[in-house]
Amino acid sequence: EAGVAQSPRYKIIEKRQSVAFWCNPISGHATLYWYQQILGQGPKLLIQFQNNGVVDDSQLPKDRFSAERLKGVDSTLKIQPAKLEDSAVYLCASSPAPGGVGNTIYFGEGSWLTVV
Amino acid sequence: RKEVEQDPGPFNVPEGATVAFNCTYSNSASQSFFWYRQDCRKEPKLLMSVYSSGNEDGRFTAQLNRASQYISLLIRDSKLSDSATYLCVVFPIPGTSYDKVIFGPGTSLSVIP
């Protein structure tokens, strides 16, 4: 079974530039998550989709971050303009059910962002 | 109080040692619990689920104490390959006012030859 696919794996941009990350979840998984993980910390949920609807985006900095999941499959996460503190790994994950209840969350390899 | 808290670590133990990690959670309505393992510069991967009755997988034992709202992970006969960060994960009851999957900050383990 193919896992969660993410791209690009690594990105270096200057502050105030924009960047976009792409994610393709495991086939059939209805729930898709974007997490931000800063070095030395646990993953922090940015946004959770159930099919193509947003379930939770309470921790998404909406002035600069946006995400969409058109057609309920692939998703993109965009940052515009980027700040130095956005340097982190952006993990996409998916699960078969909302909140992963009765299942678990599967992560992609992550997109490593460095803002200079 | 943070939603999920873990032993701060890091834990540095010799090979063959037994080490235990604790995790506490704040919402008594939480439903499911997991331990994830994260290697350096890699994504988190499921290590094991945590059941109320306790469960064991080889050298790893997970325990849940709902009354005290804590979860533990015990690693026996530590191997060098066990060196990683261990993340406690709390899954909520969907449809409630507390429905986010919460990751703890992680506990770092280094097994030393």
Side-chain angles (χ1 to χ4, degrees):
Chain A
E1 179 183 86
V4 177
Q6 289 189 245
S7 68
R9 287 295 313 280
Y10 305 95
K11 191 75 176 178
I12 301 174
I13 61 173
E14 294 182 350
K15 58 184 179 183
R16 291 187 289 276
Q17 286 187 324
S18 62
V19 63
F21 302 117
W22 172 84
C23 173
N24 182 258
I26 292 173
S27 177
H29 280 193
T31 308
L32 184 148
Y33 314 79
W34 282 103
Y35 285 87
Q36 179 194 60
Q37 188 174 23
I38 293 171
L39 189 65
Q41 300 180 17
K44 182 184 85 171
L45 179 68
L46 293 176
I47 189 167
Q48 177 180 334
F49 292 96
Q50 177 67 16
N51 296 309
N52 61 346
V54 175
V55 172
D56 186 335
D57 63 357
S58 58
Q59 298 190 94
L60 186 74
K62 298 180 184 64
D63 58 333
R64 299 183 301 105
F65 286 64
S66 65
E68 60 182 12
R69 190 185 185 196
L70 300 176
K71 301 180 182 178
V73 182
D74 293 7
S75 177
T76 56
L77 175 70
K78 296 179 181 178
I79 307 174
Q80 181 179 12
K83 292 185 176 181
L84 296 177
E85 59 261 35
D86 297 333
S87 295
V89 59
Y90 292 85
L91 295 161
C92 181
S94 69
S95 67
V101 174
N103 298 279
T104 190
I105 291 179
Y106 300 87
F107 285 88
E109 292 182 309
S111 293
W112 295 78
L113 173 66
T114 301
V115 182
V116 298
Chain B
R1 181 182 175 185
K2 293 183 179 178
E3 294 168 306
V4 179
E5 297 188 80
Q6 294 187 237
D7 290 333
F11 284 65
N12 299 309
V13 303
E15 270 187 291
T18 295
V19 61
F21 306 137
N22 289 319
C23 168
T24 58
Y25 59 96
S26 61
N27 191 327
S28 59
S30 300
Q31 183 176 66
S32 305
F33 310 89
F34 298 83
W35 283 101
Y36 274 68
R37 170 192 169 128
Q38 186 171 26
D39 292 293
C40 186
R41 301 186 68 81
K42 297 288 188 181
E43 75 276 19
K45 292 185 178 178
L46 177 66
L47 177 65
M48 61 194 303
S49 304
V50 186
Y51 303 122
S52 296
S53 56
N55 50 300
E56 189 173 307
D57 182 3
R59 298 179 294 107
F60 298 82
T61 301
Q63 296 277 357
L64 166 63
N65 185 320
R66 285 191 183 272
S68 301
Q69 295 179 214
Y70 83 80
I71 307 144
S72 64
L73 176 67
L74 182 77
I75 305 176
R76 292 181 299 278
D77 189 22
S78 299
K79 310 291 185 189
L80 295 176
S81 56
D82 294 334
S83 297
T85 296
Y86 292 83
L87 299 162
C88 172
V89 185
V90 176
F91 283 28
I93 298 176
T96 65
S97 61
Y98 187 83
D99 58 0
K100 286 189 299 204
V101 176
I102 305 295
F103 281 77
T107 300
S108 174
L109 171 67
S110 291
V111 181
I112 304 163

